[in-house]
Amino acid sequence: MRFLNRYVRKYWRMFGVALLFLTFEALSDLLQPTIMSKIVDVGVASGRMDYVLGMGGLMLLITGVGAVAASGRNIISSRVSQKFGAESRLDLFRKIQTLSFEHIDKFERASLVTRLTNDVTQVQNFTNGMMRIFAKAPLLCIGSLIMAARLNPELALVLVVVVPVVGILIAMNMRVGFPRFIRVQKALDQVNVVMREYLSGVRVVKAFNRFDYETDKFNGINGEYRMRSTSAMRSMAVFSPAIMLTVNFGIVAVIWLGGLGVDSGRMQVGHIIAFINYMTQILFSLMTISMVFNMFVRAKASAGRIGEVFAQENRMTWNEAQPEKNNTLKGRIDFENVSFSYEGATGTPVLRDVAFTCLPGETVGVIGSTGSGKTSLVSLIPRFYDAVSGTVKVGGVDVRELNPQTLREKIAVVPQKSVLFTGTVTDNIRWGKEDASAEEVEAAARMAQAHEFIAAAPEGYATRLGQGGVNFSGGQKQRLSIARALVRKPEILILDDCTSAVDVATEAKIKEAIKQYAAGLTCLIIAQRITSVMDADKIIVLDQGEVVGIGKHEELMRSRRVYREIFQSQLGKEMHQNA
């Protein structure tokens, strides 16, 4: 939990001021039983009304000081805890953004959402409580013990028994509760996983009428979360009554011993009243401390989960002194005996000894069966992952020598799954180039064959997209994704099977527009349909992570069996014979 150090350094002064106010508040509470005992033993016993009124006024004054201190403490604690929560949530979000895919893949997406929301809130609430009541409880407890012992050492022997028993109960509370609350947070992760999965696939659920299945699945996960929460809360619930019972036994002992003392003349009534008040304060303090430890257990579990994300170190390094640009190699891509595995050097290779070159201005097709490594191959170019062995070069420079931000400014990627964001059509296209003019946005949309359906919408380019672009068809979303990439005017354009939902005629228009637009631009087209790459300057054929052929369509038809099989399976033997 070292990530908390930065916030401690930033807010310790305000925390200290809150504790100062809290100390004044605790002192006000501690003085009142003693004043009350004097009123009873001196004022009431002797019939001195002036003494009663004077000490009563003093009690009111001390109460006022305590109220002012409590207000100041509340204002500071609320301000600090809210700022801490907002900043820690933002820092965690930034940390997630800096992680490579290698590290992000270690966490479920729903788990990251839970850590950003519920876990940060747990730690924030504990921070707020620390400054409001948690720190007050030990001060009040220790102060009450001291005041009670000074008031009547004989009765203080009761505390010698009560306090150690309560301490043991609190320690057992922590030991039992911590592992249970970790399991509760993990169960909450699974609830979020199922909910996100359902919401993202709600159309499929409705289409196949699988409501009962989804309900049963959610009910099972929700039931597991309920069981774990119940187990954790049940274990916690045992200790609070046990602590209260122990302290109440102490109060009974004080009344009994005090009664004997008053009867024998060794003790005064006011002392007994004050001592019972101090015992009540001790009870309140110990109950608060018990609640503190309950919240501490939950906050510790949440802080540990947040710390797991902050502990991820991005192993991607680069040379801060960026290599000079070489315009003759602008857009060139080189793979030199590249091997790659998602599990690192010890994992099963997804790519093996891949070697090829894409020259500036070329259109290169990449084709292969499902699972042959096409998407993994292009993920190495913008350095989403690092190769296990070999070298990937862009513009003649090893990508590991380039700052990823600088590298990705040269590249535009249109992924397999169209990802659009809530906002207008213009906002989504401008993701490619933040300062793109309206003319540039429209030009990119025209090249992507998206202008026609955008213009037909009542609000045109100001049309708002629902989450994920739900109000557009699959083909329309793909064309918007292509427009977003084209407006960037990159050196390298990667189209990762991004026209699968587009008809053949529209796909041909998009490719023709890209050819005219992409003079000098290197374009990689990853495709399942062989017609998408047949006219490429170069076609790379992948099979089980290995390059089994490179060349034009006619060459590969003559020399590569894998390519012929793909062609025949998609277009048929008859077309092959005619070709």
Side-chain angles (χ1 to χ4, degrees):
M1 293 187 281
R2 287 179 294 178
F3 75 94
L4 292 172
N5 291 341
R6 76 185 77 172
Y7 307 110
V8 172
R9 288 194 296 269
K10 185 171 184 179
Y11 293 115
W12 70 269
R13 290 184 180 85
M14 294 301 292
F15 191 88
V17 173
L19 288 184
L20 182 62
F21 279 119
L22 191 146
T23 302
F24 283 122
E25 182 187 359
L27 287 173
S28 299
D29 291 342
L30 290 170
L31 288 172
Q32 297 203 34
T34 299
I35 296 173
M36 176 63 72
S37 73
K38 290 184 179 297
I39 290 175
V40 172
D41 292 338
V42 177
V44 175
S46 60
R48 292 174 55 189
M49 187 55 65
D50 59 330
Y51 186 86
V52 172
L53 293 175
M55 297 303 286
L58 180 61
M59 285 185 70
L60 286 174
L61 178 62
I62 292 172
T63 301
V65 171
V68 171
S71 298
R73 174 256 297 163
N74 282 339
I75 292 170
I76 294 171
S77 61
S78 297
R79 183 180 179 84
V80 170
S81 62
Q82 290 300 324
K83 290 184 72 174
F84 162 75
E87 289 182 20
S88 58
R89 196 174 287 112
L90 178 60
D91 289 342
L92 183 59
F93 183 76
R94 284 174 172 163
K95 179 66 179 183
I96 292 170
Q97 285 190 312
T98 64
L99 295 179
S100 65
F101 284 99
E102 175 190 354
H103 292 93
I104 290 178
D105 292 343
K106 293 180 180 179
F107 302 95
E108 290 182 336
R109 301 301 188 265
S111 177
L112 290 174
V113 172
T114 306
R115 293 168 203 242
L116 269 167
T117 53
N118 184 272
D119 286 324
V120 171
T121 300
Q122 293 285 355
V123 180
Q124 176 184 332
N125 289 342
F126 180 73
T127 304
N128 186 31
M130 278 289 291
M131 288 184 285
R132 295 188 65 183
I133 57 172
F134 298 169
K136 179 182 177 181
L139 285 175
L140 205 58
C141 183
I142 295 169
S144 294
L145 287 170
I146 294 170
M147 296 293 284
R150 287 186 60 194
L151 192 67
N152 195 307
E154 185 178 343
L155 290 178
L157 293 174
V158 175
L159 301 176
V160 175
V161 178
V162 171
V163 173
V165 172
V166 172
I168 292 169
L169 289 172
I170 291 173
M172 291 173 62
N173 189 358
M174 282 195 64
R175 187 178 182 85
V176 171
F178 180 64
R180 281 177 167 77
F181 279 112
I182 288 179
R183 290 195 287 269
V184 168
Q185 294 303 105
K186 288 181 178 178
L188 181 59
D189 282 348
Q190 292 307 307
V191 171
N192 284 331
V193 167
V194 173
M195 198 64 212
R196 281 169 57 88
E197 188 177 64
Y198 169 74
L199 292 174
S200 62
V202 65
R203 295 189 180 208
V204 178
V205 174
K206 288 181 179 291
F208 286 89
N209 200 24
R210 297 282 282 175
F211 297 106
D212 291 341
Y213 171 79
E214 287 296 322
T215 301
D216 290 343
K217 184 167 71 171
F218 184 81
N219 188 43
I221 295 296
N222 195 39
E224 179 71 14
Y225 176 56
R226 175 184 57 79
M227 288 173 59
R228 291 187 179 184
S229 297
T230 302
S231 174
M233 298 310 293
R234 186 185 294 125
S235 65
M236 297 294 102
V238 172
F239 294 100
S240 293
I243 292 170
M244 185 176 292
L245 182 63
T246 303
V247 178
N248 280 328
F249 272 133
I251 292 174
V252 170
V254 167
I255 294 173
W256 182 60
L257 293 173
L260 294 176
V262 171
D263 193 46
S264 64
R266 290 180 293 108
M267 296 182 189
Q268 294 176 300
V269 175
H271 283 194
I272 305 302
I273 294 172
F275 205 95
I276 291 172
N277 281 335
Y278 284 127
M279 283 291 290
T280 304
Q281 287 186 350
I282 292 169
L283 170 61
F284 168 76
S285 302
L286 292 175
M287 292 299 297
T288 304
I289 290 170
S290 177
M291 183 178 67
V292 168
F293 280 110
N294 284 347
M295 292 194 68
F296 172 72
V297 164
R298 301 192 71 167
K300 183 181 178 185
S302 293
R305 286 159 50 81
I306 297 168
E308 287 176 4
V309 180
F310 278 113
Q312 297 296 318
E313 293 296 334
N314 195 342
R315 291 196 291 268
M316 283 191 175
T317 57
W318 57 86
N319 183 5
E320 291 296 340
Q322 297 296 323
E324 293 183 9
K325 292 184 178 180
N326 187 339
N327 289 329
T328 61
L329 299 178
K330 189 177 179 180
R332 176 176 174 137
I333 303 170
D334 295 284
F335 275 65
E336 299 176 354
N337 301 317
V338 172
S339 295
F340 171 69
S341 167
Y342 286 102
E343 290 82 30
T346 58
T348 304
V350 178
L351 299 171
R352 286 183 291 272
D353 296 322
V354 174
F356 65 85
T357 296
C358 299
L359 297 175
E362 276 190 331
T363 297
V364 179
V366 181
I367 196 165
S369 59
T370 301
S372 59
K374 303 185 295 295
T375 298
S376 300
L377 178 80
V378 296
S379 294
L380 301 179
I381 299 171
R383 207 184 175 195
F384 294 154
Y385 300 92
D386 277 337
V388 171
S389 62
T391 305
V392 180
K393 292 182 178 180
V394 170
V397 181
D398 188 338
V399 294
R400 287 170 292 198
E401 293 293 312
L402 290 168
N403 184 323
Q405 185 175 352
T406 304
L407 171 66
R408 290 164 193 166
E409 286 174 354
K410 304 176 181 181
I411 301 169
V413 181
V414 186
Q416 281 179 314
K417 182 180 179 182
S418 300
V419 178
L420 300 175
F421 301 90
T422 303
T424 65
V425 169
T426 299
D427 293 337
N428 273 272
I429 294 176
R430 278 183 175 151
W431 264 73
K433 185 182 178 185
E434 193 174 355
D435 58 349
S437 64
E439 291 75 18
E440 289 177 308
V441 169
E442 183 177 329
R446 287 183 182 278
M447 285 186 283
Q449 304 303 306
H451 175 73
E452 188 174 335
F453 73 78
I454 295 172
E459 296 179 80
Y461 283 83
T463 301
R464 292 195 66 81
L465 281 75
Q467 186 176 10
V470 293
N471 49 334
F472 283 96
S473 70
Q476 289 172 333
K477 287 192 284 188
Q478 285 188 336
R479 282 178 275 174
L480 287 175
S481 296
I482 293 169
R484 178 175 61 199
L486 293 177
V487 79
R488 187 168 198 149
K489 298 179 181 176
E491 296 177 16
I492 297 170
L493 176 64
I494 300 173
L495 306 176
D496 187 359
D497 198 20
C498 62
T499 55
S500 56
V502 175
D503 61 85
V504 176
T506 303
E507 182 184 15
K509 291 178 183 177
I510 293 171
K511 287 168 65 178
E512 184 60 34
I514 290 174
K515 271 188 179 179
Q516 297 174 5
Y517 162 80
L521 178 149
T522 304
C523 182
L524 272 76
I525 303 174
I526 292 85
Q528 296 285 352
R529 293 194 306 222
I530 200 166
T531 53
S532 300
V533 297
M534 283 171 55
D535 58 348
D537 298 322
K538 183 189 297 178
I539 301 171
I540 299 169
V541 186
L542 284 177
D543 185 36
Q544 296 183 352
E546 296 181 339
V547 175
V548 294
I550 299 178
K552 288 183 174 292
H553 171 69
E554 294 78 10
E555 299 173 41
L556 295 172
M557 285 295 293
R558 290 193 301 270
S559 61
R560 291 291 178 263
R561 177 182 57 80
V562 172
Y563 187 79
R564 281 199 305 273
E565 288 175 353
I566 295 172
F567 182 89
Q568 290 169 0
S569 67
Q570 293 186 14
L571 300 182
K573 294 183 179 179
E574 184 178 343
M575 182 175 286
H576 169 48
Q577 290 168 355
N578 294 336

